[in-house]
Amino acid sequence: MITKLKTAFLAVVMLCFIQLQAQTSLISGKITTKDGMPIPGISVKVKGTSQGVSTDAQGKFSISGANPSVLVISGIGYQTREFAFNGQPAVSIVLQEDQQNLSEVVVTALGVKREKRNLTYSSQEVKGEQLTQTKEPNLVNALAGKVSGVQITSSSGSPGSSSRIVIRGANSLYGNNEALMVIDGIPVNNDETGNLNSGPGTNRIADLDPNIIESINVLKGGAATALYGSDGAKGVIIITTKTGMQNKKPTLSFSSSLSLETPLLPEIQNKYSLGSNGVYFDGVNQKTSTSWGARMDTLKINGQPATVYDQSDLFFKTGKTYTNTIGINGGGASGTYFLSYTNLSQDGTVPQTSFDRNTVFGKFSTQILKNLDVTFSLNYANTKNNRLPEGYALESPVWTIFTAPVSYNLQPALNPDGTQRLYRFSRNNPYWVLDNISNTSVVNRFLPTFNASYKPLSWLTVTERFGADVYTEQGKYHESSLSVSNPNGRIVNSNTNFRQYNNDLIIGANQSFGDFNIDAILGNNIISTYSENAYANGLGITVPGFDNIGSTSTVKFTETSYLSRKIGFYLQSNIDYKKFLILSLTGRYDGTSVLARNNSFYPYGSAATSFIFSNFFSKEVSDIMSFGKLRVSYSTVGNASIGPYSLLTPYESQTVRNIAFPYQGQSGFLISTVLSDPNLKNERINEFEVGLETGFFKNRIGLEVTYFDKKTVNGIIPNVALAPSTGFNSTSVNTASMRNRGIEVLLNAKPIKTENFSWDLTLNYSRIRNKVLSIYNNLNQIGNGFTFILANQPYGVIYGTRYARNSEGKLSIGDDGLPFAADEQGIIGNINPDWMGGIINNFKYKQFTLSFSFDMKKGGDIQNNVDGYGYFYGTPKVTENRENRVVEGVNATTGLPNTVSVSGQAYYQRINSILESVIQDGTYVKLRNVSFGYNLKPTWLQKTPFKTLGIQVTGRNLWIYAPHFTGGDPEVSSFGSSNGSQGIYSFSIPTSRSVDFSLKLTL
């Protein structure tokens, strides 16, 4: 009996095992495109279970599932598909591209790719081809007018000159306000360097070749940038470089372009000669700096009609930029490669100015194991920049050209005895400068990155990313003897070594639990930055023509260096409920070596949510409004605005009674008169953001509107006065606060799309209002370079001498018939624009392409010093009206209307001393870029070695409408990209209008 029971039990067990085998199977297959190309990284899940895997580099997968069962296949950029499994031995599934979402995959913080529809914050992407289409050598300038909430300002038209990029207004009163640059997940340096005299330098992102960029994503608010810690508080520019393609034979590409540039010049008069009060001076026997002489059309010199010398036309030349790029890309089943070399050679519109850049870039990706992918890239750049002094400096040739008389020939530059030939005193002849003053810098820069991604489980990814930014810069300034500013000559040597290492260890997990999908990141970041500068200033060249600092009679040498380290721990989780409700939480805990131990670690984070309400639309509504999302976020982040060793009060070399130490071999140091506060902490930015994103008519029209309100607290104010009894003059405090509020609008539309013709339209608009809420106790005003900071006023007001006025606002006029300055200075302008906007149009008809873009700025005052100093010299165009005039106003003595007539010279030389007279509205409309291209039909190239062949003509700055500005370009800030240099137009090398011809082909 027992034996029969055993036999029956075994039979039941066998039946159950057979049934289980029948219900559970190993499902294997391959996912491909319609062209048969394998698709890696596609999610394969068994419907109704938590089981899921991702396809490998060959598009293959294996997963256990019931027989029968349903597989759910999904991936970014492809339509989700369900597949019925009924025991097939090999599953082959073809996915269709999702045209609606292809353009909505963006690279976010830490290089993570996400669908834009799921983002809970504002970001805007610019494709690489949009950047290269502009033909701008500097990447920053290529973004101008393309992104809402972003203001870009060029400093000069000199080759290699810096450009400033600020997102959502200034965040710090004295700290760096420019966005963080990140290349393939690695933060890189974008300091302005290279200038050893007056004028701007070069922002170091200019070392990057735009031709290697796949895309740029601009992260604007704190919720978007919190993962980058305090370095990302000012916004982040995410730069993604190009990569090769799998299973593709090597493709060789080549492009070449030539750009011709002409300067955008201020309005200069050409009707009056050198002299004063209508009397001609010859500049030889009678010298003067002013052009208030005789009319040129009546003036005769040695019995002959006087020659009119167009100084700008004679001095400036047509600039030329040559760019040649060669690249190769391809890959096999388990690896890809991309290699590129670019040579850019730019000769400026001012002789002896140039910028040369040679860049080599390589990126290699390979699958070492089934679940281990490795990517390595190296970017090397060699740049050489030749520039000349700009701005106010006595050495600046542009100053002399813009203020030189039209009656005087500046050439030759030398007198027979070898001295400078001058029509005036105190300034060098500009042609002498070309041969005797130089400022060169040579930079060698390496940007290596290594990224390894390991998937021990289908839902778990471990990423190790290491990158470095290493560069050396050798700068040299030479000024020959007999210079007006340094009669004995001057040589400066400056050598900088910069090294920054960045390492991220990131653990990412993605798992579904019923209707919830959780995507989480846990990571650690370590960044170390070292900089060293050796500066030697030599005065008195003892051996003419020997360009070596050893030939100078007096050399003063200084050396500075710093080392800072920061460690951060971060966590981000994105919780998605049924694809319509997303919650994103971010936290970061940073520690830095620059702060005191009790303040060295600081936490911050963000919370953001979005609601995709279009998921609940009926079909009738969806046909009209295809997408709708509301998002809200709040963030609090630290702003790293404290430099290394800022908490220490150092000893400094001193000068006592005109004796400079070291003196006779003896050093002399005293403790600094500025007391550093060891308890300083980082500034903090709190930001609220709400946005609405919509799409209409199957996303043919997309509209995004964002409102943000951010407040900076604990703002650092240096040099706050202390009582002399303390033994110090000033100190730094954490007391300032400032607010930025704004609206950003982005409209994308495809008004026309047919088989042969398409039209893409992008429009952006931003309006930002800034206000300094407080400075320090009862302190209501403080300065920062040319920028004045006043409580309860926008950051960046212009403050200075203003016209004296009566109670009704009418000009007060003296008994001499001239206006005069008020006793007290006041606010006379505001550099912040009322609003900014841009319009980009792209047309395509068969093989033809046409694109053009406008950008606009309403308001934003400019201090036009070219006119201001020119009023004294008599050179601006407006001074051609030299008739006697009665200045409208009220006599300050009698209170009656002014009736005293004055000469044009007396009027303009008077208002030269009143800064308000040169404050001009910087409103402009620019035709920023026009590009027309033609690509040959592929069928025409079948019997040639070429796969593609195209030509393109591009124009930049072809038309500028600036009704209130008399300078050449209202977008320029002449003294560089620092906070204290904005809103100034002052004898910088002019920017250019250019036409570019290019050829591109692939083999």
Side-chain angles (χ1 to χ4, degrees):
M1 183 66 181
I2 294 176
T3 303
K4 291 181 179 180
L5 287 174
K6 288 182 178 179
T7 302
F9 177 75
L10 289 173
V12 171
V13 170
M14 290 297 293
L15 286 172
C16 291
F17 180 76
I18 292 170
Q19 182 67 21
L20 182 63
Q21 284 290 92
Q23 291 177 348
T24 304
S25 299
L26 182 64
I27 308 171
S28 299
K30 186 176 183 179
I31 310 295
T32 64
T33 66
K34 62 181 180 180
D35 299 323
M37 299 295 293
I39 312 175
I42 294 297
S43 171
V44 181
K45 294 182 179 181
V46 178
K47 190 173 184 179
T49 73
S50 60
Q51 292 178 284
V53 296
S54 296
T55 57
D56 60 18
Q58 288 77 39
K60 296 179 179 179
F61 71 93
S62 294
I63 188 173
S64 296
N67 182 9
S69 62
V70 175
L71 302 181
V72 179
I73 300 95
S74 62
I76 295 176
Y78 295 92
Q79 296 178 4
T80 299
R81 177 180 173 183
E82 293 188 354
F83 179 85
F85 173 73
N86 295 301
Q88 300 95 318
V91 174
S92 179
I93 301 173
V94 176
L95 291 186
Q96 299 292 325
E97 291 181 345
D98 187 348
Q99 297 296 332
Q100 177 175 321
N101 292 325
L102 273 178
S103 61
E104 297 178 354
V105 179
V106 295
V107 179
T108 62
L110 300 178
V112 177
K113 290 185 177 181
R114 297 193 187 279
E115 290 185 79
K116 184 171 174 57
R117 62 173 279 133
N118 292 333
L119 296 183
T120 55
Y121 48 76
S122 176
S123 73
Q124 188 173 338
E125 187 180 48
V126 180
K127 294 296 186 182
E129 56 266 25
Q130 292 179 270
L131 302 173
T132 55
Q133 185 174 271
T134 65
K135 304 302 179 183
E136 288 279 4
N138 192 319
L139 169 66
V140 173
N141 290 335
L143 288 170
K146 291 181 172 61
V147 184
S148 62
V150 175
Q151 184 172 9
I152 292 170
T153 310
S154 299
S155 59
S156 165
S158 182
S161 59
S162 65
S163 293
R164 172 182 169 95
I165 179 168
V166 174
I167 298 175
R168 290 186 173 176
N171 298 280
S172 176
L173 273 66
Y174 285 87
N176 180 22
N177 280 306
E178 293 196 72
L180 174 69
M181 296 288 178
V182 177
I183 303 177
D184 290 336
I186 305 299
V188 298
N189 180 270
N190 189 34
D191 289 346
E192 183 177 4
T193 70
N195 194 2
L196 300 177
N197 199 295
S198 64
T202 298
N203 62 311
R204 290 270 56 97
I205 204 67
D207 299 328
L208 187 66
D209 174 23
N211 291 283
I212 67 171
I213 296 176
E214 180 68 30
S215 66
I216 288 181
N217 194 28
V218 180
L219 305 182
K220 303 176 184 179
T225 65
L227 284 176
Y228 284 107
S230 52
D231 291 330
K234 303 167 291 292
V236 180
I237 307 296
I238 303 291
I239 301 171
T240 304
T241 60
K242 292 180 179 179
T243 187
M245 298 183 64
Q246 280 190 317
N247 298 309
K248 182 179 180 181
K249 294 180 179 180
T251 298
L252 182 68
S253 62
F254 172 76
S255 64
S256 181
S257 66
L258 166 65
S259 180
L260 304 176
E261 292 124 17
T262 56
L264 296 167
L265 301 171
E267 300 173 7
I268 303 294
Q269 69 90 10
N270 61 359
K271 294 183 177 180
Y272 291 90
S273 72
L274 183 71
S276 182
N277 294 313
V279 178
Y280 166 68
F281 285 27
D282 63 8
V284 179
N285 301 306
Q286 299 167 297
K287 294 182 182 294
T288 184
S289 60
T290 65
S291 293
W292 292 102
R295 284 187 64 97
M296 292 298 295
D297 55 2
T298 62
L299 178 64
K300 292 188 177 182
I301 301 175
N302 297 326
Q304 299 296 321
T307 302
V308 177
Y309 297 95
D310 188 329
Q311 306 291 4
S312 293
D313 186 62
L314 293 169
F315 182 77
F316 294 103
K317 63 174 186 175
T318 300
K320 297 181 179 65
T321 301
Y322 302 91
T323 306
N324 293 286
T325 299
I326 187 169
I328 184 171
N329 79 85
S334 60
T336 66
Y337 54 86
F338 175 78
L339 296 168
S340 175
Y341 166 74
T342 296
N343 167 258
L344 180 140
S345 179
Q346 184 177 15
D347 291 324
T349 56
V350 171
Q352 310 301 332
T353 61
S354 64
F355 181 72
D356 296 301
R357 181 178 65 206
N358 289 278
T359 56
V360 178
F361 176 75
K363 180 187 271 189
F364 307 89
S365 299
T366 185
Q367 186 180 47
I368 297 178
L369 301 173
K370 181 179 179 181
N371 51 0
L372 176 61
D373 296 314
V374 172
T375 299
F376 172 76
S377 68
L378 175 63
N379 190 5
Y380 167 72
N382 170 266
T383 61
K384 182 178 181 181
N385 197 189
N386 293 308
R387 56 169 62 87
L388 291 172
E390 301 179 57
Y392 298 123
L394 297 179
E395 306 88 350
S396 170
V398 175
W399 177 298
T400 312
I401 289 297
F402 286 170
T403 60
V406 296
S407 61
Y408 184 84
N409 188 358
L410 291 167
Q411 302 184 72
L414 296 178
N415 293 312
D417 62 358
T419 60
Q420 283 200 60
R421 182 170 166 270
L422 304 170
Y423 68 90
R424 56 164 294 173
F425 302 103
S426 303
R427 287 203 171 270
N428 289 314
N429 185 300
Y431 295 96
W432 183 90
V433 170
L434 299 181
D435 297 326
N436 292 276
I437 295 181
S438 64
N439 184 358
T440 63
S441 66
V442 178
V443 174
N444 287 284
R445 190 174 191 180
F446 295 86
L447 295 166
T449 64
F450 172 81
N451 191 96
S453 180
Y454 177 62
K455 290 181 70 70
L457 301 170
S458 61
W459 54 271
L460 185 67
T461 304
V462 180
T463 300
E464 164 65 22
R465 179 184 296 138
F466 173 80
D469 183 358
V470 180
Y471 69 80
T472 62
E473 180 173 26
Q474 296 174 293
K476 190 178 188 72
Y477 176 80
H478 174 268
E479 185 175 350
S480 297
S481 57
L482 302 180
S483 172
V484 170
S485 52
N486 290 289
N488 296 320
R490 180 186 180 210
I491 295 177
V492 176
N493 286 343
S494 176
N495 293 297
T496 299
N497 291 292
F498 179 88
R499 298 191 296 271
Q500 181 170 281
Y501 303 108
N502 186 92
N503 189 86
D504 280 284
L505 177 62
I506 307 168
I507 300 174
N510 183 283
Q511 190 63 275
S512 296
F513 301 94
D515 293 329
F516 290 90
N517 185 77
I518 300 177
D519 191 345
I521 291 176
L522 175 65
N524 165 248
N525 172 254
I526 299 174
I527 187 168
S528 175
T529 305
Y530 175 79
S531 180
E532 176 187 287
N533 176 257
Y535 179 91
N537 183 30
L539 296 176
I541 298 176
T542 59
V543 183
F546 184 41
D547 189 9
N548 189 295
I549 199 168
S551 69
T552 58
S553 57
T554 303
V555 179
K556 184 176 181 180
F557 183 87
T558 59
E559 180 181 359
T560 58
S561 65
Y562 71 83
L563 173 64
S564 66
R565 295 187 179 94
K566 186 170 70 173
I567 183 171
F569 303 91
Y570 48 83
L571 170 67
Q572 184 182 65
S573 62
N574 293 283
I575 305 170
D576 180 338
Y577 177 69
K578 288 188 175 181
K579 297 286 185 180
F580 76 88
L581 187 63
I582 300 104
L583 174 65
S584 179
L585 302 173
T586 301
R588 176 146 179 159
Y589 192 61
D590 270 358
T592 176
S593 64
V594 304
L595 298 178
R597 289 188 177 182
N598 58 330
N599 285 332
S600 60
F601 279 87
Y602 39 96
Y604 46 83
S606 67
T609 184
S610 64
F611 172 57
I612 304 177
F613 52 85
S614 56
N615 283 17
F616 301 94
F617 287 168
S618 64
K619 185 180 184 305
E620 291 77 11
V621 176
S622 295
D623 288 341
I624 300 174
M625 187 175 184
S626 47
F627 179 72
K629 179 174 74 172
L630 178 68
R631 48 181 173 76
V632 180
S633 67
Y634 180 81
S635 62
T636 175
V637 297
N639 185 21
S641 51
I642 300 176
Y645 318 122
S646 295
L647 310 187
L648 304 177
T649 304
Y651 283 84
E652 297 175 342
S653 183
Q654 297 294 315
T655 299
V656 180
R657 294 181 180 178
N658 297 324
I659 298 176
F661 288 90
Y663 178 71
Q664 294 185 351
Q666 179 65 47
S667 296
F669 294 89
L670 288 175
I671 196 166
S672 173
T673 59
V674 179
L675 174 65
S676 295
D677 183 358
N679 297 312
L680 281 180
K681 54 188 175 182
N682 275 334
E683 300 174 343
R684 184 169 289 273
I685 300 174
N686 303 318
E687 183 171 8
F688 169 77
E689 178 182 310
V690 59
L692 176 67
E693 298 178 25
T694 58
F696 299 90
F697 308 110
K698 296 184 179 180
N699 290 336
R700 289 280 292 273
I701 300 175
L703 176 65
E704 180 177 342
V705 181
T706 301
Y707 169 79
F708 67 88
D709 184 341
K710 63 178 178 178
K711 183 179 180 181
T712 301
V713 296
N714 298 329
I716 296 175
I717 300 296
N719 300 324
V720 171
L722 289 175
S725 58
T726 64
F728 298 93
N729 294 333
S730 61
T731 188
S732 299
V733 293
N734 273 119
T735 58
S737 63
M738 179 168 59
R739 169 172 283 151
N740 284 280
R741 292 173 172 170
I743 297 174
E744 300 166 349
V745 179
L746 176 65
L747 172 68
N748 291 297
K750 191 180 286 290
I752 301 175
K753 184 180 179 181
T754 66
E755 181 179 355
N756 293 323
F757 182 75
S758 65
W759 172 21
D760 293 302
L761 170 68
T762 301
L763 183 148
N764 69 78
Y765 167 89
S766 56
R767 177 186 182 274
I768 301 172
R769 292 293 180 267
N770 172 281
K771 187 177 183 180
V772 177
L773 301 177
S774 63
I775 300 176
Y776 172 68
N777 291 340
N778 296 322
L779 180 64
N780 292 317
Q781 178 178 330
I782 197 168
N784 180 16
F786 292 101
T787 299
F788 282 84
I789 304 168
L790 281 77
N792 298 313
Q793 295 293 333
Y795 178 77
V797 294
I798 304 175
Y799 190 89
T801 54
R802 52 185 174 175
Y803 288 107
R805 301 176 187 271
N806 66 7
S807 58
E808 297 178 354
K810 297 180 179 180
L811 289 183
S812 293
I813 307 297
D815 292 336
D816 58 0
L818 295 171
F820 55 91
D823 293 334
E824 295 183 357
Q825 296 185 346
I827 297 173
I828 52 179
N830 178 11
I831 67 174
N832 298 286
D834 297 331
W835 56 265
M836 301 176 295
I839 301 174
I840 303 171
N841 288 276
N842 289 287
F843 299 91
K844 184 176 181 181
Y845 175 70
K846 293 184 178 180
Q847 307 305 118
F848 295 92
T849 59
L850 172 66
S851 67
F852 59 91
S853 63
F854 291 88
D855 60 272
M856 295 142 278
K857 185 184 78 168
K858 174 66 171 65
D861 293 319
I862 299 172
Q863 181 178 321
N864 187 343
N865 287 337
V866 174
D867 275 10
Y869 287 91
Y871 288 160
F872 176 82
Y873 298 128
T875 50
K877 187 74 171 177
V878 68
T879 64
E880 284 185 350
N881 179 10
R882 304 195 171 185
E883 301 298 327
N884 290 345
R885 79 276 316 273
V886 175
V887 182
E888 185 177 350
V890 176
N891 184 280
T893 304
T894 65
L896 299 175
N898 175 49
T899 59
V900 179
S901 178
V902 296
S903 68
Q905 180 175 349
Y907 171 73
Y908 283 109
Q909 289 189 334
R910 168 61 61 85
I911 68 172
N912 158 260
S913 63
I914 303 174
L915 187 60
E916 185 182 353
S917 68
V918 295
I919 304 304
Q920 299 179 346
D921 181 359
T923 296
Y924 70 78
V925 178
K926 275 191 177 186
L927 179 55
R928 173 78 63 175
N929 188 272
V930 178
S931 181
F932 177 77
Y934 177 75
N935 297 299
L936 271 67
K937 288 185 178 180
T939 54
W940 295 359
L941 302 173
Q942 288 179 351
K943 296 183 180 181
T944 71
F946 305 113
K947 294 180 180 178
T948 63
L949 179 62
I951 57 174
Q952 182 175 290
V953 180
T954 300
R956 284 181 288 152
N957 292 331
L958 297 182
W959 175 74
I960 300 177
Y961 173 70
H964 311 293
F965 180 68
T966 57
D969 188 341
E971 198 181 9
V972 173
S973 191
S974 298
F975 294 97
S977 58
S978 67
N979 292 338
S981 302
Q982 304 309 300
I984 308 290
Y985 179 75
S986 185
F987 303 100
S988 57
I989 292 177
T991 55
S992 297
R993 175 178 291 114
S994 67
V995 178
D996 182 280
F997 306 90
S998 61
L999 169 71
K1000 186 174 183 179
L1001 57 88
T1002 59
L1003 295 172

